[in-house]
Amino acid sequence: MKLALVGIGKIAVDQHIPSIAASDQWELAATLSRHGTLDGIDSYTDFDTLLNTHPDIAMVSLCLPPVPRFEYAAKALKAGRHVMLEKPPGATLAECHALTKLAQDNGLSLYATWHSREADKVAVAKAWLADKTLLSLKVTWKEDVRRWHPNQDWIWEPGGMGVFDPGINALSIVTEILPVDIHLRDATLMVPENRQTPIAANLAFYHPRGAEVSATFDWRQVGDQIWTIEAVTDQGTLTLLDGGARIMVDGREDALVDNNPLSGEYPRLYANMAALIACGGIDMDLRPMVHVSDALALGRRVAVDPFHD
Ligand code: NAP
């Protein structure tokens, strides 16, 4: 199937383009970006022109920041194209619901991708936790914003989500591996006094069976980067490390083996999208985004030092 890639920024270049090139299911037929082009691929700056010129493009994959994404997604669906959304799937929950309805009304596939769910050890962690009693779960997501988001002003603007941009990856794993739904009960958001979005956040969740569930996100980490989820159960402790790439049970690494034949988060996302189209499906799991929305609604804001890139 032919696809168009919209928003040629960091993630498009780092992950989408190599994953599409390596896929035998997808062919990159066009790109849209106001500044970026790709050698040998039709490049556009106007989306209507792209859609009108390429009626054979079946799917549009959107790698823009969340705020401008809705208009592109809606336009693509109205033009009869399937749509794949980078995380987070939109700037607001209401616009995500509107996209779901548009896809349903037009008989098209729509996929809210959560790349961290495709990390190697997430499926085995989910299977291991399924028959255990959870006592506590602690997320620690600490990274250096200057290293991962250099000069990306949109993350500091309303809708950019700040530290929840990576934090939502952790929440996408938590909502995938826990057998029951949790909801936010308390949050503190550290917001630089010259910015609109948090640089750090502490979250506490209600768990229906009484487990203590918490998350710490921090973008001020220098040195070692930490993306860890530790789940203590009645039958041992499971730790996901490096954002789900590694797993330990009671301190023993690789006690659990994954059987996924396709390697890499983004190749799996593109394979999932092809499978979704083949069965006429829609996959819009908005639970990670609900937690972020709730934190932004419920969170107590604390002003912290200004942030300069
Ligand atoms: P980025 O480097 O800033 O790239 C986004 C691209 O979107 C820009 O190059 C820009 O290209 C285009 N764009 C920005 N604002 C636009 C607007 N108002 N209208 C049209 N196009 C616009 O950001 P990114 O890191 O690739 O992130 C994009 C999305 O991927 C985000 O939702 C992010 O959460 C997600 N993501 C990022 C990473 C990562 O490590 N960076 C990892 C996973 C997921 P032009 O200016 O050329 O149009």
Side-chain angles (χ1 to χ4, degrees):
M1 282 174 283
K2 290 189 178 179
L3 75 97
L5 203 54
V6 174
I8 306 301
K10 185 173 187 313
I11 198 62
V13 171
D14 288 356
Q15 297 290 344
H16 288 257
I17 292 165
S19 303
I20 295 163
S23 169
D24 55 12
Q25 294 175 299
W26 294 105
E27 177 191 337
L28 183 56
T31 63
L32 180 130
S33 196
R34 296 163 309 175
H35 307 97
T37 57
L38 273 189
D39 282 351
I41 306 289
D42 282 356
S43 301
Y44 295 85
T45 52
D46 179 69
F47 197 35
D48 289 317
T49 310
L50 185 160
L51 292 169
N52 291 334
T53 313
H54 290 273
D56 55 336
I57 285 181
M59 192 272 275
V60 176
S61 180
L62 297 176
C63 313
L64 306 155
V67 169
R69 201 173 301 143
F70 173 79
E71 289 195 16
Y72 288 90
K75 193 169 265 190
L77 290 167
K78 285 179 187 163
R81 319 303 165 92
H82 307 289
V83 169
M84 186 167 159
L85 302 164
E86 248 301 350
K87 51 86 353 187
T92 70
L93 287 163
E95 65 182 38
C96 295
H97 292 307
L99 291 179
T100 303
K101 180 151 190 333
L102 254 182
Q104 282 165 344
D105 290 350
N106 289 286
L108 294 163
S109 289
L110 177 65
Y111 183 19
T113 66
W114 299 106
H115 66 88
S116 291
R117 282 187 179 170
E118 305 301 328
D120 282 351
K121 305 298 181 185
V122 170
V124 283
K126 178 178 180 167
W128 191 86
L129 286 170
D131 61 356
K132 316 259 181 329
T133 299
L134 186 73
L135 305 176
S136 68
L137 183 142
K138 191 169 184 311
V139 175
T140 309
W141 231 245
K142 294 186 176 181
E143 60 177 54
D144 181 354
V145 64
R146 290 186 175 87
R147 183 159 147 195
W148 303 103
H149 297 276
N151 303 310
Q152 287 185 348
D153 285 336
W154 61 265
I155 55 172
W156 298 109
E157 291 299 316
M161 293 191 183
V163 76
F164 290 107
D165 181 79
I168 204 168
N169 298 336
L171 297 173
S172 75
I173 296 176
V174 170
T175 47
E176 174 68 12
I177 63 177
L178 285 187
V180 294
D181 281 339
I182 55 173
H183 65 257
L184 191 88
R185 61 179 168 74
D186 187 63
T188 306
L189 313 177
M190 274 60 81
V191 184
E193 56 189 30
N194 61 337
R195 302 287 183 165
Q196 294 287 321
T197 57
I199 195 163
N202 296 323
L203 313 181
F205 293 88
Y206 170 87
H207 181 276
R209 294 175 197 153
E212 275 183 38
V213 179
S214 64
T216 301
F217 304 147
D218 203 324
W219 251 348
R220 297 166 296 188
Q221 179 81 358
V222 286
D224 285 349
Q225 308 288 286
I226 304 171
W227 299 284
T228 301
I229 298 172
E230 183 184 77
V232 179
T233 77
D234 60 336
Q235 295 171 54
T237 298
L238 178 142
T239 313
L240 278 171
L241 302 124
D242 297 346
R246 293 166 52 210
I247 197 166
M248 289 196 310
V249 174
D250 291 334
R252 212 161 63 82
E253 181 132 19
D254 288 329
L256 305 175
V257 178
D258 59 294
N259 291 315
N260 195 327
L262 201 55
S263 75
E265 297 177 7
Y266 281 81
R268 289 174 189 154
L269 293 179
Y270 276 95
N272 293 349
M273 184 66 194
L276 207 57
I277 292 173
C279 72
I282 291 174
D283 183 347
M284 283 289 278
D285 180 4
L286 299 178
R287 288 176 299 165
M289 191 153 154
V290 167
H291 295 319
V292 172
S293 254
D294 284 359
L296 294 172
L298 194 62
R300 179 180 302 277
R301 276 146 177 89
V302 177
V304 296
D305 289 347
F307 176 84
H308 300 285
D309 242 324

